[in-house]
Amino acid sequence: MSDWKAGSDARLPLYQRLREEIMDRIASGEWPPGEPIPTESELTRRYNIAVGTVRRAIDTLVNEGLLERSQGRGTFVRRPDFDASFFRFFRQVNAEGEASVPDSRILSASLQTPPPVASKALGLAHDASCICLERLRTLEDGSLLTEKIWLPAARFSGLLKVPLEEFDNLLYPFYEARFGQRIGSARETLTIASADAITSDTLGIALNDPVVVIERTALGYDQTPLEYRCSMGAAATFRYQIEIS
């Protein structure tokens, strides 16, 4: 007997239906990040489809970065390390030249109407309410990044009741633990701008010094936008490196 959830689009190819089914179960928390999904043989029995179809659906999700295979252990829901990826672009070394993980501090949390760029990224009406977090990321008491983060109020109700000192250094595990909102992927855009008075004062740089602006839209495993953030750091601390083969 098949175990398709209600709402699965029967017009889609079977492997694509299974792909969406797996994503739905991950997004709902039934198959959480870091845990294995059922084996190919179990999925074949559960959905009454051929193993080749199951394998194609899993291959698609592996290629999309949502699942990862572990030799001899199974296929796991991938938990992306966004901060490790993000900070490969910035020099994060201490006074001895050793790699170091920046600290994070939430400066404020408030209910606001988001700017158009944030409401568009989150797929919200222009007058929808969002929670705005202002965060500073530091390294050995020096400011590395200043961030403004926008979250849909409907999905993060109760966030404003959390004391600022109780926010975790890493926000995505915090979102999951407190509000059941799981981040599965993100899109980033990098641009260069000039530091205004507030940014220059926060980062300890001169007015109009170049800053790198990183806009990120973070998505749930079902591709629902859950967070929009704008991060700014001094261009002098930024580097871009890519390997081409």
Side-chain angles (χ1 to χ4, degrees):
M1 182 177 178
S2 62
D3 192 23
W4 298 104
K5 281 187 176 180
S8 180
D9 191 343
R11 296 170 298 178
L12 295 174
L14 272 178
Y15 85 91
Q16 196 165 338
R17 287 180 62 192
L18 181 58
R19 170 191 171 276
E20 294 193 356
E21 179 80 6
I22 293 172
M23 288 178 64
D24 284 346
R25 292 185 184 272
I26 293 171
S28 70
E30 182 177 348
W31 298 342
E35 297 296 321
I37 66 169
T39 65
E40 291 181 358
S41 59
E42 288 172 330
L43 291 172
T44 296
R45 290 193 298 271
R46 177 178 291 193
Y47 295 103
N48 193 27
I49 53 179
V51 67
T53 302
V54 171
R55 194 162 295 148
R56 185 175 180 185
I58 291 174
D59 285 344
T60 300
L61 289 168
V62 168
N63 291 335
E64 292 173 353
L66 296 179
L67 298 178
E68 58 184 350
R69 288 191 174 93
S70 177
Q71 187 68 33
R73 297 179 61 229
T75 302
F76 289 74
V77 180
R78 184 170 174 266
R79 188 190 296 276
D81 189 349
F82 292 101
D83 283 276
S85 172
F86 182 77
F87 279 105
R88 75 180 184 275
F89 293 122
F90 286 88
R91 301 189 190 101
Q92 60 214 58
V93 295
N94 59 23
E96 289 72 40
E98 300 169 333
S100 184
V101 177
D103 290 319
S104 300
R105 179 161 54 96
I106 299 294
L107 304 177
S108 67
S110 58
L111 190 66
Q112 298 184 24
T113 299
V117 64
S119 57
K120 181 178 180 181
L122 293 171
L124 301 174
H126 71 279
D127 57 350
S129 294
C130 277
I131 294 170
C132 177
L133 303 177
E134 294 193 46
R135 183 166 74 155
L136 183 64
R137 311 194 80 167
T138 61
L139 185 63
E140 292 193 339
D141 297 325
S143 298
L144 185 66
L145 290 171
T146 178
E147 297 182 314
K148 213 163 203 181
I149 300 167
W150 300 90
L151 304 161
R155 287 181 174 267
F156 291 87
S157 61
L159 183 62
L160 296 180
K161 297 178 182 178
V162 179
L164 298 184
E165 62 273 14
E166 290 187 11
F167 281 79
D168 292 343
N169 196 39
L170 299 179
L171 286 179
Y172 292 169
F174 176 77
Y175 296 162
E176 182 176 345
R178 290 289 189 111
F179 305 100
Q181 302 296 327
R182 299 170 181 83
I183 304 295
S185 61
R187 298 189 294 261
E188 287 186 347
T189 301
L190 281 69
T191 55
I192 302 294
S194 298
D196 59 18
I198 295 176
T199 302
S200 61
D201 183 61
T202 302
L203 295 177
I205 59 178
L207 182 67
N208 295 322
D209 267 6
V211 291
V212 175
V213 181
I214 303 178
E215 296 175 85
R216 174 190 289 182
T217 302
L219 312 170
Y221 282 90
D222 60 355
Q223 299 299 292
T224 299
L226 296 177
E227 179 204 76
Y228 170 79
R229 72 171 65 180
C230 182
S231 309
M232 289 188 286
T237 68
F238 179 85
R239 64 179 180 180
Y240 178 74
Q241 178 178 327
I242 186 171
E243 293 183 8
I244 301 174
S245 58

